Amino acid sequence: MYDLDHPLKFGIVRLCKEGEFMKLLVTGGAGFIGSNFVHLARKERPDWQITVIDKLNYAGNKASLKEVWEEIEFIEGDICNQELIDGLVSKNDLVVHFAAESHNDNSLNDPWPFVESNLIGTYRILEAVRKHGKKLHHISTDEVYGDLELDDPVKFTEHTRYNPSSPYSSTKAGSDMLVLAWVRSFGIHATISNCSNNYGPRQHVEKMIPRQITNILSGEKLKLYGKGENVRDWIHVDDHNSAVITIIEKGKSGEVYLIGADGEKNNIEVFNMILNMMGKDETWLEHVKDRPGHDLRYAIDNTKLINELGWRPKYTDFAAGLQATIDWYTNNEDWWKPLKAETEAKYKKIGQ
Ligand code: NAD
Ligand code: TDX
């Protein structure tokens, strides 16, 4: 169960002065994980004051924040804009940094936006955090560790060597390194988390699970890369974000925490679950070109987060979480429909 009761119950260090409410700057808060973080934080930590900065790239969507729109401040802007970031960081206590270019396939076709947002953007935030003496929680990915063999029982830990494969994961790896260097050299207060594959509502239709669900809802076949043997370690987005809240409140500066919920599944297994749940047979499955450099397997050892910070995942029934996700896309066509044609046109160009 979540460890998200009243913070004082656990002797949690307050991040702002007594009697003041903590002010959070959430970067990338109109994206998939960032918007779900804002929803969860509004529910679990209603006294936090939240400002979102998001440049609204193709994956940023104000509609993802519509239920909380009146309760937050929203700034449309780029984290690479030092002046803007400087002003926003100075007014807040903590930056929760989700903003990034996030899709591997895009990074293979055009790496520059990844270098810009993930590396330069993180640098801008670090400099503002250093100048104003604020705190940072940096959101990263397990992909910084590269991949594991399919038949190897080993999992990633906080001590695994960095070995990223794609332009996306290499820029995320670089951003992690910048954060650690700013902690060591300049003494800023920062924590890092590296999470496995998220699923849940409000994820862009370019990503594996929403792409397949919305393909079926559009009368199109599922698109499986290669043989579908690749393994991903699935976690519900609310479990990722409950872990982020735990780290914000209990994590130690300079520490890295891996977030995962023991959700390893190969792609073909997930595709078959989607087919079954949506009442389709295997004639709806199409094998398409494999991703170049396709990572084989990711798997997270979450021992440190559980033992040191007492976090527990809540959505451990993947089938139930997947069904709820299918229901969300079925009931929220107006959210994803406008994104679908452009996304599929991009895939068509690269044969996927
Ligand atoms: P997403 O692409 O859905 O959202 C990213 C958001 O960041 C978008 O709203 C976009 O507009 C914004 N953004 C991008 N560049 C920006 C810039 N320069 N300035 C301001 N805003 C900018 O991605 P996501 O899946 O929500 O991922 C969020 C974070 O979590 C990323 O840092 C990603 O690396 C990390 N992560 C994702 C997963 C996953 O499974 N999706 C797993 C582990 C870690
Ligand atoms: O149509 C598809 N068919 C398919 O077989 C797509 C889009 C993907 N795949 C495969 C590729 C991967 O093995 O599914 C798996 C998951 O693919 P993605 O959803 O693109 O995720 P992945 O590349 O694993 O990266 C995700 O998890 C880690 C996020 O996009 C990253 O932001 C995060 O860091």
Side-chain angles (χ1 to χ4, degrees):
M1 284 296 117
Y2 286 162
D3 207 357
L4 289 178
D5 294 321
H6 196 282
L8 296 178
K9 190 171 154 191
F10 298 95
I12 291 158
V13 180
R14 287 191 71 93
L15 295 176
C16 54
K17 286 188 203 123
E18 200 61 48
E20 282 180 4
F21 296 131
M22 182 158 74
K23 298 192 196 83
L24 271 73
L25 178 64
V26 178
T27 74
F32 164 47
I33 306 175
S35 63
N36 280 292
F37 174 82
V38 174
H39 284 269
L40 188 70
R42 287 301 307 142
K43 205 162 96 203
E44 304 286 350
R45 297 290 182 269
D47 57 350
W48 286 359
Q49 291 173 14
I50 296 179
T51 302
V52 167
I53 172 168
D54 197 298
K55 82 168 184 189
L56 299 178
N57 73 0
Y58 74 95
N61 193 342
K62 281 202 249 183
S64 298
L65 292 167
K66 69 173 194 284
E67 297 87 348
V68 290
W69 193 253
E70 300 301 325
E71 301 162 23
I72 62 166
E73 191 179 348
F74 182 86
I75 311 289
E76 183 175 344
D78 194 325
I79 55 166
C80 297
N81 178 340
Q82 186 79 68
E83 208 179 316
L84 176 65
I85 282 298
D86 193 79
L88 288 172
V89 168
S90 74
K91 287 191 234 152
N92 285 280
D93 302 307
L94 168 80
V95 183
V96 192
H97 178 32
F98 292 94
E101 289 291 334
S102 68
H103 193 38
N104 277 300
D105 293 322
N106 292 342
S107 81
L108 294 163
N109 296 307
D110 184 12
W112 168 245
F114 291 75
V115 173
E116 194 172 41
S117 289
N118 302 0
L119 286 170
I120 298 172
T122 301
Y123 162 77
R124 300 283 186 220
I125 286 165
L126 284 165
E127 282 296 81
V129 163
R130 170 157 87 112
K131 180 171 165 192
H132 298 289
K134 305 296 178 162
K135 293 178 171 149
L136 169 67
H137 180 66
H138 175 64
I139 305 291
S140 192
T141 169
D142 60 356
E143 294 193 22
V144 299
Y145 299 114
D147 60 354
L148 301 162
E149 293 299 326
L150 292 178
D151 53 1
D152 186 346
V154 83
K155 295 183 176 198
F156 298 135
T157 74
E158 288 77 5
H159 304 292
T160 305
R161 184 171 72 90
Y162 271 47
N163 187 26
S165 313
S166 72
Y168 162 66
S169 53
S170 62
T171 57
K172 291 300 292 186
S175 68
D176 294 6
M177 294 296 141
L178 291 176
V179 175
L180 291 175
W182 260 244
V183 171
R184 169 119 185 205
S185 299
F186 304 124
I188 68 159
H189 179 114
T191 43
I192 298 179
S193 55
N194 298 79
C195 187
S196 59
N197 283 63
N198 285 221
Y199 74 97
R202 307 181 189 91
Q203 185 171 29
H204 193 276
V205 293
E206 69 189 351
K207 302 294 190 324
M208 177 187 132
I209 288 179
R211 184 180 186 202
Q212 315 315 323
I213 296 170
T214 56
N215 272 8
I216 295 188
L217 294 173
S218 311
E220 297 292 331
K221 289 185 177 179
L222 279 64
K223 311 284 185 191
L224 182 65
Y225 294 178
K227 287 198 227 141
E229 286 172 332
N230 309 63
V231 173
R232 295 295 181 263
D233 190 353
W234 293 100
I235 182 171
H236 192 277
V237 64
D238 283 352
D239 278 337
H240 179 181
N241 283 325
S242 76
V244 170
I245 293 177
T246 301
I247 296 166
I248 287 171
E249 293 182 331
K250 298 185 185 180
K252 278 204 216 125
S253 183
E255 292 290 322
V256 172
Y257 299 92
L258 291 197
I259 305 175
D262 299 318
E264 276 189 75
K265 298 223 168 337
N266 69 25
N267 292 343
I268 191 80
E269 200 179 339
V270 179
F271 275 62
N272 282 329
M273 290 174 81
I274 294 172
L275 284 173
N276 286 337
M277 288 175 178
M278 297 187 75
K280 303 292 180 200
D281 63 24
E282 61 280 7
T283 60
W284 280 69
L285 189 67
E286 185 181 334
H287 290 264
V288 295
K289 206 178 87 183
D290 206 353
R291 174 183 286 170
H294 197 170
D295 279 341
L296 285 176
R297 172 176 160 250
Y298 307 138
I300 291 273
D301 178 343
N302 58 14
T303 309
K304 177 175 175 181
L305 187 60
I306 287 182
N307 287 356
E308 289 187 15
L309 304 190
W311 172 82
R312 292 280 182 287
K314 182 178 173 192
Y315 297 93
T316 46
D317 181 346
F318 179 72
L322 184 60
Q323 183 62 61
T325 305
I326 292 172
D327 294 345
W328 190 86
Y329 283 92
T330 306
N331 296 328
N332 288 278
E333 213 176 86
D334 52 343
W335 185 93
W336 60 264
K337 231 1 185 322
L339 313 169
K340 189 67 181 166
E342 193 191 336
T343 304
E344 288 307 314
K346 251 200 233 176
Y347 275 125
K348 203 167 173 203
K349 265 199 209 153
I350 56 169
Q352 287 176 330

